[in-house]
Amino acid sequence: MPLERVRILLGVCGGIAAYKAAELVRRLRDAGADVRVVMTENAMRFVGATTFQALSGNPVRSSLWDESAEAAMGHIELARWAEQILIAPASADFMARVVHGRANDLLSTLVLATAAPVSIAPAMNQQMWANTATQDNVSLLRNRGIRVIPPASGSQACGEVGEGRMPEAEALVSALADSCAPRVLDGIRVMVSAGPTYEDIDPVRFIGNRSSGRMGFAVAIAAAQAGAKVTLVSGPVSLPTPPGVERVNVRSARQMRDAVLRISVDSDIFISAAAVGDYRVQASSAIKLKKTGAPLVLELVQNPDILAEVAASQEPPFLVGFAAETNDVERYARDKLERKNLDMIAANQVGPELGFEGSENALLLLWQGGSEDLGRGDKKMLARTLIERVATRYRLKAEKGFKA
Ligand code: PMT
């Protein structure tokens, strides 16, 4: 159980969703976590501290100026004690205070003073959530590595309907468990490529593919959660940059090649989940092509094979390819493993609602002399297992010596 004996500091802000935090404490304890609750002054207008004290089995703190508490476990001690901080519900005002580095109550001081990962589950009226000020604050928090768990949608206590509800306790526990993954890649430099490439036909048209980037982004997140220093080379996708990950945006296969070759010399592992366009238009037009009534013939030339080029470099990183196949998955994937000289390949059968675009995939891992079917599941879950297997095989190869 990922939360077994993990020391979690739960911050509760003022808002009607504060009552849901009581259930959250129960669920966290059921998952084996050691929970301490810190409430803001306004949270205490909604739920009494005694409720949280009874459920967590620990005294509840709310003030910076509590003499007896400061004499025992002072606020800095509490910030050090926490292995994870979760603020649920987090109010718009609390997020704004964190954005500005305020330390004007116990909870904001703890967020400033801790080295532990911080997750925030905002809950508020849907207009307040949609407000540009709130959204800008969310972006700033994410850019600083704070994980903002998106609120759920539905009917709200104020009578309105929309985004802004605190996710159910179960979803928050599972989100937190995600970030408590064992640090199997601590300090290892991992490059991940993700998304499609776009090959321009003219200034308004391009040849692309259906990759959404979800698989590659999930791999980058899992690697970062496993302690790796992650660089994500991303084709054009509409996904937010995962916290703690350095992102390099590219558009075409040749741009992706340049970025990957540059970064690979400083990478220990390269996981190539991008759906790189195999062909590009030989001569893309500088001006928009006009209809002529006659058939249009585009001459396509082959793009460089990025993964094969990295494999052929002097000291290649540990190489993990992906293979998207519609049929004969294992046979084609094993052929790519050998032909591209890879350490491992994750084969996925692509088809309706599988592989491209959606949230689910099915992966078959292959390496020299072995295989493991990870089955079908959520891309985030598959990515976590993939990272564990990559870490195991990477260590095995490192023990044998990379040149062996
Ligand atoms: O992005 P999603 O919507 O979540 O979809 C995920 C995915 C289906 C795109 C992903 O799981 C996946 O399978 N990515 C690889 C797709 C692919 O291009 O497979 P391929 O069999 O054509 O290529 C084999 C490997 O060579 C891949 O690691 C690919 O990144 C790499 N390659 C391919 C062509 C090329 N010119 N250069 C490369 O490096």
Side-chain angles (χ1 to χ4, degrees):
M1 291 222 289
L3 293 181
E4 188 75 48
R5 286 197 293 277
V6 176
R7 298 190 301 268
I8 296 172
L9 194 147
L10 175 67
V12 182
C13 296
I16 186 60
Y19 83 94
K20 285 185 171 179
E23 172 67 8
L24 179 56
V25 176
R26 281 200 55 181
R27 295 296 184 110
L28 288 169
R29 291 203 71 197
D30 288 349
D34 186 358
V35 184
R36 285 175 185 265
V37 178
V38 171
M39 303 174 76
T40 63
E41 213 172 290
N42 285 336
M44 295 173 78
R45 297 175 195 264
F46 289 88
V47 189
T50 324
T51 306
F52 289 112
Q53 184 164 317
L55 290 169
S56 68
N58 282 311
V60 172
R61 297 270 326 259
S62 61
S63 169
L64 261 175
W65 309 111
D66 176 338
E67 279 177 25
S68 59
E70 284 298 313
M73 190 179 260
H75 63 276
I76 296 296
E77 285 309 307
L78 200 51
R80 285 193 193 132
W81 172 87
E83 291 177 300
Q84 289 278 338
I85 292 190
L86 170 63
I87 318 289
S91 62
D93 173 67
F94 183 76
M95 291 196 294
R97 286 193 282 129
V98 174
V99 162
H100 288 282
R102 299 289 305 271
N104 56 341
D105 66 1
L106 178 60
L107 193 54
S108 54
T109 305
L110 287 170
V111 171
L112 209 55
T114 191
V118 178
S119 304
I120 284 186
M124 65 198 71
N125 162 272
Q126 50 97 18
Q127 284 291 356
M128 289 173 75
W129 171 249
N131 192 292
T132 316
T134 307
Q135 289 303 313
D136 286 352
N137 285 341
V138 167
S139 303
L140 277 166
L141 292 173
R142 284 193 168 132
N143 287 342
R144 292 177 195 165
I146 290 184
R147 178 182 193 199
V148 180
I149 302 166
S153 223
S155 60
Q156 302 197 293
C158 56
E160 294 180 15
V161 177
E163 224 178 330
R165 285 164 59 104
M166 186 169 110
E168 295 308 317
E170 205 176 319
L172 291 177
V173 172
S174 133
L176 209 59
D178 288 355
S179 55
C180 292
R183 294 179 72 81
V184 286
L185 289 179
D186 213 5
I188 304 290
R189 300 163 303 172
V190 176
M191 169 170 55
V192 180
S193 71
T197 59
Y198 284 178
E199 307 301 333
D200 288 337
I201 296 171
D202 69 12
V204 294
R205 306 177 182 96
F206 60 85
I207 300 172
N209 61 64
R210 288 173 47 196
S211 171
S212 62
R214 290 172 89 153
M215 189 69 237
F217 274 57
V219 170
I221 292 167
Q225 287 172 351
K229 183 180 173 301
V230 182
T231 307
L232 176 61
V233 180
S234 174
V237 299
S238 55
L239 296 173
T241 306
V245 165
E246 194 182 323
R247 177 171 179 170
V248 177
N249 286 326
V250 295
R251 182 175 167 84
S252 67
R254 284 186 296 173
Q255 284 173 1
M256 185 172 277
R257 171 188 174 271
D258 292 348
V260 165
L261 289 181
R262 177 169 47 81
I263 299 160
S264 80
V265 290
D266 292 319
S267 301
D268 303 303
I269 297 174
F270 172 36
I271 304 177
S272 180
V276 186
D278 284 326
Y279 288 91
R280 67 175 183 278
V281 180
Q282 181 162 40
S284 67
S285 171
I287 53 168
K288 186 181 171 190
L289 297 175
K290 292 288 175 201
K291 283 186 289 228
T292 60
L296 174 68
V297 177
L298 292 174
E299 184 139 348
L300 302 182
V301 289
Q302 210 169 313
N303 271 328
D305 188 316
I306 303 170
L307 201 46
E309 273 195 52
V310 177
S313 64
Q314 232 178 9
E315 279 186 53
F318 184 91
L319 289 177
V320 183
F322 267 72
E325 309 291 350
T326 52
N327 56 294
D328 289 322
V329 178
E330 181 158 359
R331 184 160 65 86
Y332 286 133
R334 205 165 269 289
D335 174 62
K336 281 177 189 166
L337 175 78
E338 317 235 308
R339 204 162 26 85
K340 298 198 187 202
N341 214 1
L342 308 177
D343 295 288
M344 188 186 261
I345 195 156
N348 39 202
Q349 171 138 22
V350 293
E353 292 178 28
L354 210 55
F356 287 103
E357 292 171 327
S359 61
E360 288 209 342
N361 203 357
L363 291 185
L364 170 68
L365 302 187
L366 302 172
W367 57 92
Q368 207 52 261
S371 67
E372 182 180 350
D373 191 352
L374 300 189
R376 181 176 175 153
D378 182 81
K379 284 179 179 170
K380 288 194 188 123
M381 195 264 295
L382 287 169
R384 282 200 293 275
T385 315
L386 171 69
I387 286 300
E388 279 173 27
R389 302 304 184 265
V390 168
T392 306
R393 300 217 62 79
Y394 169 76
R395 271 197 303 273
L396 273 173
K397 188 171 180 185
E399 276 160 23
K400 281 192 205 153
F402 276 94
K403 301 244 182 261

